[in-house]
Structures are given as C-alpha cells and as structure tokens.
Amino acid sequence: MRLTNVLIFFIALIVFLFTFLFDFSEKPQEKPKKEPKTHIVQNGFQVPERGLHTFMNQSSSIVTKHFGKPDRIDPTAYGYEWWIYGRHSEKYVQFGIEHGKVVSIFALGKDLQTQPFGITKDANTILRHVNLSDTTSLTYKGAKIEFEFKEDELMTNPLIKFGNVWVQLYFDHFTNRLMAVRYVTPEILIKQRPYSFVYTGTIVEPPKLTDLQWADVEKAEAWEIFDMTNIIRMRNGLDPLNWNSGATKAAFGHSKEMYEKNYFGHESKWSGDLTARLQAEDVAFTEAGENIASDYPDGLAAVCGWVNSDNHRQNVLNPDYTDLGVGVYHKYYTQDYIKAF
C-alpha cells in the first residue's frame, strides 16, 4: 500500500511539472519597453530616431506639415531658399529648401530637438565621444575632397559625419557651450566651402548670381544677422535691438566699399571712420560700435565668428546699445551698433 502511494505521488509530480513547463512555454514573455531606434556612426554618437535632423532630405511639404507657413523665405547664394521659423524666440530654425527638398538646416533655438547636440549644453559633454581630427574626407560624384581644419576651427566649429549628413557645430568658446547647429548635405557642404580643402576630380560649384540676385541675397542675410544677434542677446539676458535704417545704410556702404576697393578695416580713406559714416546718414547717437567680417560662407557663420572674437563679442553683448544696422555686400558683412540719441 505504501509503495502504491509513493508511486502515485511521483506520477502526480511528473504530471504537474510537465503541465507547468508546457504552460510557461506557451505564455508570451513580457516585452521590454521599446527603445528609440538608433544606429551607430563612426564618431561614436548614436543617431536618434527622432529629432530635427530627420527632416534632412525630406520634402518641403513635411516641413510645412510640422511647422506651418514660414515666417519668411530668403534666397541664398547656393541655390536653395531659407524657410525661417521662430523669429524672436528660442525655436528659431532655418530650413534650406532646394527643388522641394530639405538640403540644410540651421538650428539656433535651444528649444529645438537637436539631440545629441543640445544647444547651450556644455561642449565637453557633447564632444566626449568624438575623436576630432585636423582632416576629414568625403567622396561625392566621383570627386574626393579632404577638408583641413585649423586649431581654432576644431575648437569653435568642428565638422562631424552624422548618419547620411554632415553637421557643423558652432561653439561659444567663451562659455564653452554649443551656440548653434547646421546640418548639410555633402553637395551643400562642398558648395559653401567653410573650411580649407584639397580635392581630386571635378567638384560642384555654387551658382553664378546676377546683380539683382545678389541684392536679394544681401538683404536677406542682413535680416538673418539681425535676428540671430537679437536671439543671442536675449539668451544672455539683454534687450533685443531695434532695426535702424540709417545705420543699415552706413553698414551697407562700408561693406560695398570694402569689396570694391579690396580692403578690410574700420578706417577708410574714402568714407572716414564709423562716426563719419553714421553722420553722413544723419544717424543720431551717443555711442557706437562696429563689427566687420569677410569670406564667411554666409551671415550666420559671420555672427558665430563675431561671438568668438573678444572685441566683436563686446559689441554683440553691449547692454547700452539700442539699435543695430546691418549691411551685406557679397561676402563682406558689417554691423553698426548705436545707442540712439
């Protein structure tokens, strides 16, 4: 009798174990929470599934769907148009549209999704996974291009391969924080030539503009410089500046003269100094300052250059100034700051 009980016990135990194991194998396992899809690029960054960079190479209708009608559409010297959003705010962004597709994005607002390149974030945190080199290369339409970077460019404006596009990071080396991000296709990067480079083969060239086209580009870049300057001032706790038409005329005249007379400086044997140029345009002021730049690919890059230059930065962030005039002529850029009388 005892043996029979033991045998029954073992048979029941075997049935129970078999039923438990079979039941467990049939139940679906609890799935872990889904993580955003990423893929690893050479520099060690993960390219997020979402973010501003995903608009690159998308149609302009996708931009309109997400951002609505642009505040302004500006021509450029490189064949695309800038669709501008978020003026006077920390959502300021420019989408470069060519043939109905996004070929570049310039992001200035800190409230934009530019991860992992957080605008206003610490540079060391952003770059800790990046192995910066003084050269980098790309191949485009049979041409091989090798960019060569100066030491200050690696510190303030490095170039990084990011998935299928390239990213220029604009750092403020005085605060060691990220100021802006620019996404570009290889073609636009080659056309703009923001760094020195050597190449083999035939490279794409920027379009040749008529005088009228240049005039439209120059006016557009003046407004972009103005908008960008005010956002940087507001980010630093300062009041935005007013657009001053008289100072703009003086600034434009100086940029045009530097281009035509082939010189670069604040003093001119033709038009005098800043005070003389402002007085010639009947500008009333008690204080004035001037920033000039040349050979940048556009006005946006020029502003980043001024912010990283001590004397120019003092003008950008001077709390006493009330007005600003901006003049662009081809690749010469002038800002005339004043404290209105």
Side-chain angles (χ1 to χ4, degrees):
M1 186 67 181
R2 288 181 181 177
L3 183 59
T4 302
N5 289 340
V6 171
L7 184 60
I8 292 172
F9 171 78
F10 275 107
I11 290 173
L13 180 61
I14 291 171
V15 170
F16 170 78
L17 290 174
F18 177 81
T19 302
F20 172 79
L21 290 174
F22 178 81
D23 184 61
F24 182 81
S25 65
E26 289 294 316
K27 288 182 179 179
Q29 301 299 305
E30 182 180 357
K31 294 182 179 180
K33 293 181 179 179
K34 187 177 181 180
E35 296 293 334
K37 294 179 181 178
T38 61
H39 66 270
I40 306 299
V41 294
Q42 290 179 348
N43 55 35
F45 274 124
Q46 289 185 332
V47 180
E49 186 180 41
R50 296 182 178 88
L52 201 60
H53 66 280
T54 61
F55 287 90
M56 287 294 293
N57 296 308
Q58 296 292 327
S59 70
S60 57
S61 62
I62 299 296
V63 176
T64 304
K65 179 180 177 181
H66 285 82
F67 291 86
K69 183 180 178 180
D71 299 340
R72 194 176 69 236
I73 296 178
D74 288 350
T76 75
Y78 301 101
Y80 60 89
E81 294 178 327
W82 279 128
W83 287 19
I84 296 171
Y85 294 88
R87 294 184 66 210
H88 318 302
S89 78
E90 285 289 1
K91 291 188 177 182
Y92 186 93
V93 60
Q94 300 187 187
F95 289 93
I97 307 295
E98 185 175 22
H99 304 310
K101 294 184 67 175
V102 179
V103 296
S104 183
I105 302 172
F106 181 83
L108 178 63
K110 67 180 180 181
D111 294 335
L112 300 168
Q113 293 185 3
T114 57
Q115 61 272 17
F117 312 114
I119 294 173
T120 73
K121 300 302 182 183
D122 179 70
N124 295 328
T125 301
I126 293 172
L127 294 176
R128 63 185 177 184
H129 299 300
V130 177
N131 296 319
L132 295 179
S133 172
D134 56 4
T135 63
T136 193
S137 61
L138 66 86
T139 300
Y140 182 73
K141 290 187 175 180
K144 184 174 182 180
I145 297 98
E146 184 172 276
F147 291 101
E148 300 171 339
F149 309 112
K150 301 173 184 176
E151 184 176 351
D152 62 327
E153 290 173 334
L154 289 173
M155 180 172 64
T156 62
N157 183 209
L159 177 68
I160 297 172
K161 185 71 167 62
F162 192 62
N164 295 322
V165 300
W166 293 82
V167 173
Q168 290 175 269
L169 302 178
Y170 295 93
F171 289 104
D172 178 343
H173 83 85
F174 285 90
T175 63
N176 201 39
R177 294 187 177 277
L178 184 63
M179 179 170 29
V181 179
R182 189 192 303 247
Y183 306 89
V184 290
T185 62
E187 180 171 331
I188 298 302
L189 181 62
I190 296 166
K191 285 181 179 179
Q192 291 186 332
R193 304 175 190 181
Y195 313 97
S196 298
F197 67 89
V198 294
Y199 67 93
T200 58
T202 302
I203 60 173
V204 291
E205 299 284 348
K208 295 186 182 298
L209 304 186
T210 66
D211 290 342
L212 288 177
Q213 288 172 325
W214 266 118
D216 289 340
V217 169
E218 291 155 1
K219 290 175 184 177
E221 288 200 358
W223 277 108
E224 291 163 19
I225 289 171
F226 178 79
D227 287 344
M228 184 174 176
T229 300
N230 272 340
I231 290 172
I232 291 171
R233 284 177 62 87
M234 291 187 290
R235 185 176 293 172
N236 284 272
L238 301 176
D239 292 332
L241 301 168
N242 302 308
W243 178 270
N244 189 290
S245 58
T248 292
K249 290 179 181 178
F252 176 79
H254 191 52
S255 290
K256 187 173 187 289
E257 184 186 271
M258 287 191 292
Y259 174 84
E260 293 178 341
K261 303 294 186 182
N262 193 29
Y263 79 97
F264 183 76
H266 297 283
E267 302 287 332
S268 165
K269 62 182 180 181
W270 298 278
S271 58
D273 61 7
L274 172 60
T275 298
R277 291 190 290 273
L278 290 172
Q279 290 175 342
E281 300 296 343
D282 297 322
V283 178
F285 63 95
T286 57
E287 295 180 32
E290 184 172 72
N291 287 344
I292 58 175
S294 67
D295 295 329
Y296 284 90
D298 57 21
L300 303 173
V303 175
C304 293
W306 285 325
V307 170
N308 277 306
S309 172
D310 193 12
N311 292 333
H312 300 92
R313 180 188 184 88
Q314 290 179 32
N315 284 330
V316 173
L317 299 180
N318 189 324
D320 295 330
Y321 290 141
T322 60
D323 293 26
L324 175 62
V326 183
V328 178
Y329 192 81
H330 287 234
K331 296 293 182 67
Y332 283 78
Y333 311 91
T334 302
Q335 287 182 313
D336 284 348
Y337 294 84
I338 66 167
K339 181 179 181 180
F341 183 73

Short mmCIF file of all heavy atoms in Angstrom, two decimals, residues 66-104:
data_model
loop_
_atom_site.label_atom_id
_atom_site.label_comp_id
_atom_site.label_asym_id
_atom_site.label_seq_id
_atom_site.Cartn_x
_atom_site.Cartn_y
_atom_site.Cartn_z
N HIS A 66 4.64 70.06 -40.23
CA HIS A 66 5.05 70.11 -38.84
C HIS A 66 5.23 71.53 -38.30
O HIS A 66 5.04 71.77 -37.11
CB HIS A 66 6.35 69.32 -38.65
CG HIS A 66 6.18 67.85 -38.68
ND1 HIS A 66 6.10 67.13 -39.86
CD2 HIS A 66 6.07 66.94 -37.67
CE1 HIS A 66 5.95 65.84 -39.57
NE2 HIS A 66 5.92 65.71 -38.27
N PHE A 67 5.63 72.46 -39.16
CA PHE A 67 5.96 73.81 -38.70
C PHE A 67 5.03 74.89 -39.24
O PHE A 67 5.10 76.03 -38.79
CB PHE A 67 7.41 74.14 -39.08
CG PHE A 67 8.43 73.36 -38.32
CD1 PHE A 67 8.84 72.11 -38.76
CD2 PHE A 67 8.99 73.85 -37.16
CE1 PHE A 67 9.79 71.37 -38.08
CE2 PHE A 67 9.93 73.13 -36.45
CZ PHE A 67 10.33 71.88 -36.91
N GLY A 68 4.20 74.55 -40.21
CA GLY A 68 3.30 75.53 -40.77
C GLY A 68 3.98 76.42 -41.80
O GLY A 68 5.04 76.09 -42.34
N LYS A 69 3.38 77.55 -42.06
CA LYS A 69 3.90 78.51 -43.03
C LYS A 69 5.10 79.23 -42.45
O LYS A 69 5.07 79.67 -41.29
CB LYS A 69 2.80 79.51 -43.40
CG LYS A 69 3.21 80.51 -44.46
CD LYS A 69 2.06 81.46 -44.77
CE LYS A 69 2.48 82.50 -45.80
NZ LYS A 69 1.37 83.44 -46.11
N PRO A 70 6.19 79.36 -43.21
CA PRO A 70 7.38 80.03 -42.65
C PRO A 70 7.14 81.51 -42.39
O PRO A 70 6.31 82.15 -43.05
CB PRO A 70 8.44 79.81 -43.74
CG PRO A 70 7.68 79.54 -44.99
CD PRO A 70 6.42 78.86 -44.58
N ASP A 71 7.86 82.05 -41.42
CA ASP A 71 7.78 83.48 -41.13
C ASP A 71 8.30 84.30 -42.30
O ASP A 71 7.83 85.40 -42.56
CB ASP A 71 8.61 83.82 -39.88
CG ASP A 71 8.11 83.09 -38.64
OD1 ASP A 71 6.95 82.65 -38.64
OD2 ASP A 71 8.90 82.97 -37.68
N ARG A 72 9.29 83.76 -42.99
CA ARG A 72 9.91 84.47 -44.10
C ARG A 72 10.63 83.44 -44.96
O ARG A 72 11.08 82.41 -44.46
CB ARG A 72 10.91 85.50 -43.58
CG ARG A 72 11.38 86.53 -44.58
CD ARG A 72 12.29 87.58 -43.96
NE ARG A 72 13.57 87.03 -43.56
CZ ARG A 72 14.07 87.12 -42.33
NH1 ARG A 72 13.38 87.72 -41.37
NH2 ARG A 72 15.26 86.60 -42.04
N ILE A 73 10.73 83.71 -46.27
CA ILE A 73 11.52 82.87 -47.17
C ILE A 73 12.62 83.73 -47.78
O ILE A 73 12.33 84.76 -48.40
CB ILE A 73 10.66 82.24 -48.27
CG1 ILE A 73 9.63 81.28 -47.66
CG2 ILE A 73 11.54 81.49 -49.27
CD1 ILE A 73 8.70 80.64 -48.68
N ASP A 74 13.87 83.33 -47.57
CA ASP A 74 15.02 84.11 -48.02
C ASP A 74 15.80 83.37 -49.10
O ASP A 74 16.01 82.15 -48.98
CB ASP A 74 15.99 84.37 -46.85
CG ASP A 74 15.45 85.38 -45.85
OD1 ASP A 74 14.42 86.03 -46.16
OD2 ASP A 74 16.05 85.51 -44.77
N PRO A 75 16.27 84.08 -50.11
CA PRO A 75 17.18 83.45 -51.08
C PRO A 75 18.58 83.30 -50.49
O PRO A 75 18.92 83.95 -49.50
CB PRO A 75 17.19 84.46 -52.24
CG PRO A 75 16.96 85.78 -51.57
CD PRO A 75 16.02 85.50 -50.43
N THR A 76 19.38 82.42 -51.08
CA THR A 76 20.77 82.25 -50.68
C THR A 76 21.66 82.30 -51.91
O THR A 76 21.17 82.30 -53.04
CB THR A 76 21.00 80.91 -49.96
OG1 THR A 76 20.99 79.84 -50.93
CG2 THR A 76 19.94 80.64 -48.91
N ALA A 77 22.96 82.28 -51.66
CA ALA A 77 23.92 82.29 -52.76
C ALA A 77 24.25 80.88 -53.24
O ALA A 77 25.14 80.71 -54.08
CB ALA A 77 25.20 82.99 -52.32
N TYR A 78 23.53 79.86 -52.74
CA TYR A 78 23.91 78.47 -53.01
C TYR A 78 22.82 77.66 -53.69
O TYR A 78 22.89 76.44 -53.74
CB TYR A 78 24.35 77.81 -51.71
CG TYR A 78 25.51 78.52 -51.08
CD1 TYR A 78 25.32 79.38 -50.01
CD2 TYR A 78 26.79 78.38 -51.59
CE1 TYR A 78 26.37 80.07 -49.44
CE2 TYR A 78 27.87 79.07 -51.04
CZ TYR A 78 27.66 79.91 -49.97
OH TYR A 78 28.71 80.60 -49.44
N GLY A 79 21.78 78.32 -54.19
CA GLY A 79 20.77 77.61 -54.95
C GLY A 79 19.54 77.18 -54.18
O GLY A 79 18.54 76.79 -54.78
N TYR A 80 19.57 77.24 -52.87
CA TYR A 80 18.40 76.87 -52.08
C TYR A 80 17.82 78.12 -51.42
O TYR A 80 18.43 79.19 -51.40
CB TYR A 80 18.74 75.81 -51.03
CG TYR A 80 19.79 76.23 -50.02
CD1 TYR A 80 19.43 76.88 -48.84
CD2 TYR A 80 21.13 75.93 -50.22
CE1 TYR A 80 20.38 77.25 -47.91
CE2 TYR A 80 22.10 76.29 -49.29
CZ TYR A 80 21.71 76.96 -48.14
OH TYR A 80 22.67 77.34 -47.23
N GLU A 81 16.62 77.97 -50.87
CA GLU A 81 15.97 79.04 -50.12
C GLU A 81 15.96 78.69 -48.64
O GLU A 81 15.86 77.52 -48.27
CB GLU A 81 14.52 79.23 -50.57
CG GLU A 81 14.34 79.71 -51.99
CD GLU A 81 12.88 79.83 -52.38
OE1 GLU A 81 12.06 79.00 -51.88
OE2 GLU A 81 12.56 80.74 -53.16
N TRP A 82 16.05 79.70 -47.81
CA TRP A 82 15.88 79.51 -46.38
C TRP A 82 14.42 79.72 -46.00
O TRP A 82 13.87 80.79 -46.27
CB TRP A 82 16.72 80.48 -45.57
CG TRP A 82 18.16 80.18 -45.36
CD1 TRP A 82 19.22 81.01 -45.62
CD2 TRP A 82 18.74 78.99 -44.78
NE1 TRP A 82 20.41 80.41 -45.27
CE2 TRP A 82 20.13 79.17 -44.74
CE3 TRP A 82 18.20 77.78 -44.30
CZ2 TRP A 82 21.01 78.21 -44.25
CZ3 TRP A 82 19.07 76.82 -43.82
CH2 TRP A 82 20.45 77.04 -43.78
N TRP A 83 13.78 78.71 -45.42
CA TRP A 83 12.47 78.87 -44.82
C TRP A 83 12.70 79.10 -43.33
O TRP A 83 13.26 78.25 -42.63
CB TRP A 83 11.61 77.62 -45.01
CG TRP A 83 11.13 77.43 -46.42
CD1 TRP A 83 11.63 78.00 -47.56
CD2 TRP A 83 10.04 76.61 -46.84
NE1 TRP A 83 10.93 77.59 -48.66
CE2 TRP A 83 9.95 76.73 -48.26
CE3 TRP A 83 9.14 75.78 -46.17
CZ2 TRP A 83 8.99 76.06 -49.00
CZ3 TRP A 83 8.18 75.09 -46.91
CH2 TRP A 83 8.11 75.23 -48.31
N ILE A 84 12.26 80.26 -42.84
CA ILE A 84 12.63 80.70 -41.50
C ILE A 84 11.43 80.62 -40.56
O ILE A 84 10.34 81.09 -40.89
CB ILE A 84 13.20 82.13 -41.55
CG1 ILE A 84 14.50 82.13 -42.38
CG2 ILE A 84 13.46 82.67 -40.14
CD1 ILE A 84 15.05 83.49 -42.68
N TYR A 85 11.68 80.02 -39.39
CA TYR A 85 10.64 79.84 -38.38
C TYR A 85 11.15 80.31 -37.02
O TYR A 85 12.35 80.28 -36.74
CB TYR A 85 10.26 78.36 -38.25
CG TYR A 85 9.60 77.77 -39.47
CD1 TYR A 85 10.35 77.22 -40.50
CD2 TYR A 85 8.21 77.73 -39.58
CE1 TYR A 85 9.75 76.66 -41.61
CE2 TYR A 85 7.59 77.17 -40.69
CZ TYR A 85 8.37 76.64 -41.71
OH TYR A 85 7.77 76.08 -42.81
N GLY A 86 10.20 80.73 -36.17
CA GLY A 86 10.52 81.01 -34.77
C GLY A 86 11.31 82.28 -34.53
O GLY A 86 12.10 82.33 -33.58
N ARG A 87 11.10 83.30 -35.37
CA ARG A 87 11.82 84.56 -35.15
C ARG A 87 11.54 85.10 -33.75
O ARG A 87 10.46 84.94 -33.21
CB ARG A 87 11.40 85.60 -36.19
CG ARG A 87 11.80 85.25 -37.62
CD ARG A 87 11.42 86.38 -38.55
NE ARG A 87 12.19 87.58 -38.28
CZ ARG A 87 11.74 88.82 -38.48
NH1 ARG A 87 10.52 89.02 -38.93
NH2 ARG A 87 12.53 89.86 -38.22
N HIS A 88 12.57 85.72 -33.15
CA HIS A 88 12.49 86.34 -31.82
C HIS A 88 12.25 85.31 -30.72
O HIS A 88 11.73 85.65 -29.65
CB HIS A 88 11.37 87.40 -31.77
CG HIS A 88 11.29 88.29 -32.97
ND1 HIS A 88 12.35 89.07 -33.39
CD2 HIS A 88 10.29 88.52 -33.86
CE1 HIS A 88 12.00 89.76 -34.47
NE2 HIS A 88 10.77 89.43 -34.79
N SER A 89 12.61 84.06 -30.94
CA SER A 89 12.34 83.04 -29.92
C SER A 89 13.45 81.98 -29.92
O SER A 89 14.28 81.93 -30.81
CB SER A 89 11.00 82.36 -30.17
OG SER A 89 11.10 81.40 -31.22
N GLU A 90 13.40 81.13 -28.90
CA GLU A 90 14.35 80.03 -28.77
C GLU A 90 13.90 78.81 -29.57
O GLU A 90 14.39 77.71 -29.34
CB GLU A 90 14.56 79.67 -27.31
CG GLU A 90 15.42 80.65 -26.53
CD GLU A 90 16.90 80.61 -26.92
OE1 GLU A 90 17.26 79.84 -27.82
OE2 GLU A 90 17.69 81.35 -26.30
N LYS A 91 13.01 79.01 -30.54
CA LYS A 91 12.67 77.97 -31.51
C LYS A 91 13.10 78.38 -32.91
O LYS A 91 12.61 77.84 -33.90
CB LYS A 91 11.17 77.68 -31.46
CG LYS A 91 10.74 77.00 -30.16
CD LYS A 91 9.28 76.55 -30.22
CE LYS A 91 8.92 75.80 -28.94
NZ LYS A 91 7.52 75.31 -28.96
N TYR A 92 14.04 79.30 -32.98
CA TYR A 92 14.49 79.82 -34.27
C TYR A 92 15.21 78.73 -35.07
O TYR A 92 16.18 78.12 -34.59
CB TYR A 92 15.44 81.00 -34.07
CG TYR A 92 15.84 81.69 -35.36
CD1 TYR A 92 15.12 82.79 -35.81
CD2 TYR A 92 16.93 81.26 -36.11
CE1 TYR A 92 15.48 83.44 -36.99
CE2 TYR A 92 17.29 81.90 -37.29
CZ TYR A 92 16.57 82.99 -37.72
OH TYR A 92 16.92 83.62 -38.88
N VAL A 93 14.74 78.51 -36.30
CA VAL A 93 15.35 77.49 -37.17
C VAL A 93 15.16 77.91 -38.62
O VAL A 93 14.16 78.54 -38.97
CB VAL A 93 14.73 76.10 -36.92
CG1 VAL A 93 13.23 76.09 -37.19
CG2 VAL A 93 15.43 75.03 -37.75
N GLN A 94 16.14 77.58 -39.47
CA GLN A 94 16.07 77.84 -40.89
C GLN A 94 16.21 76.53 -41.65
O GLN A 94 17.19 75.78 -41.45
CB GLN A 94 17.18 78.81 -41.32
CG GLN A 94 17.10 80.15 -40.62
CD GLN A 94 18.10 81.19 -41.15
OE1 GLN A 94 18.22 82.27 -40.59
NE2 GLN A 94 18.80 80.87 -42.22
N PHE A 95 15.24 76.24 -42.52
CA PHE A 95 15.29 75.05 -43.36
C PHE A 95 15.72 75.46 -44.77
O PHE A 95 15.06 76.30 -45.40
CB PHE A 95 13.92 74.36 -43.43
CG PHE A 95 13.50 73.68 -42.17
CD1 PHE A 95 12.73 74.35 -41.23
CD2 PHE A 95 13.88 72.37 -41.90
CE1 PHE A 95 12.34 73.73 -40.06
CE2 PHE A 95 13.49 71.74 -40.73
CZ PHE A 95 12.73 72.43 -39.81
N GLY A 96 16.78 74.86 -45.27
CA GLY A 96 17.22 75.11 -46.63
C GLY A 96 16.47 74.21 -47.60
O GLY A 96 16.61 72.98 -47.54
N ILE A 97 15.66 74.80 -48.48
CA ILE A 97 14.82 74.04 -49.41
C ILE A 97 15.33 74.25 -50.83
O ILE A 97 15.42 75.38 -51.31
CB ILE A 97 13.35 74.48 -49.33
CG1 ILE A 97 12.84 74.44 -47.87
CG2 ILE A 97 12.49 73.62 -50.23
CD1 ILE A 97 12.78 73.07 -47.26
N GLU A 98 15.63 73.15 -51.52
CA GLU A 98 16.05 73.20 -52.93
C GLU A 98 15.31 72.11 -53.69
O GLU A 98 15.32 70.94 -53.29
CB GLU A 98 17.55 72.99 -53.06
CG GLU A 98 18.06 73.15 -54.48
CD GLU A 98 19.58 73.07 -54.59
OE1 GLU A 98 20.21 72.50 -53.67
OE2 GLU A 98 20.13 73.59 -55.58
N HIS A 99 14.63 72.50 -54.78
CA HIS A 99 13.84 71.56 -55.58
C HIS A 99 12.86 70.78 -54.71
O HIS A 99 12.64 69.58 -54.89
CB HIS A 99 14.75 70.59 -56.33
CG HIS A 99 15.76 71.27 -57.21
ND1 HIS A 99 15.43 72.26 -58.12
CD2 HIS A 99 17.11 71.11 -57.30
CE1 HIS A 99 16.52 72.67 -58.74
NE2 HIS A 99 17.55 72.00 -58.26
N GLY A 100 12.27 71.47 -53.74
CA GLY A 100 11.24 70.86 -52.91
C GLY A 100 11.74 69.92 -51.83
O GLY A 100 10.94 69.24 -51.20
N LYS A 101 13.06 69.90 -51.56
CA LYS A 101 13.61 69.01 -50.54
C LYS A 101 14.51 69.79 -49.59
O LYS A 101 15.11 70.81 -49.95
CB LYS A 101 14.40 67.87 -51.18
CG LYS A 101 13.56 66.91 -52.01
CD LYS A 101 14.38 65.75 -52.52
CE LYS A 101 14.86 64.86 -51.40
NZ LYS A 101 15.56 63.64 -51.90
N VAL A 102 14.65 69.28 -48.37
CA VAL A 102 15.49 69.91 -47.36
C VAL A 102 16.95 69.49 -47.58
O VAL A 102 17.27 68.30 -47.54
CB VAL A 102 15.05 69.51 -45.94
CG1 VAL A 102 15.96 70.16 -44.90
CG2 VAL A 102 13.60 69.91 -45.70
N VAL A 103 17.81 70.49 -47.82
CA VAL A 103 19.23 70.21 -48.07
C VAL A 103 20.12 70.78 -46.98
O VAL A 103 21.32 70.50 -46.93
CB VAL A 103 19.67 70.74 -49.44
CG1 VAL A 103 18.94 70.03 -50.57
CG2 VAL A 103 19.47 72.26 -49.54
N SER A 104 19.55 71.59 -46.10
CA SER A 104 20.32 72.15 -44.99
C SER A 104 19.35 72.60 -43.90
O SER A 104 18.20 72.94 -44.17
CB SER A 104 21.17 73.34 -45.46
OG SER A 104 21.97 73.85 -44.40
#
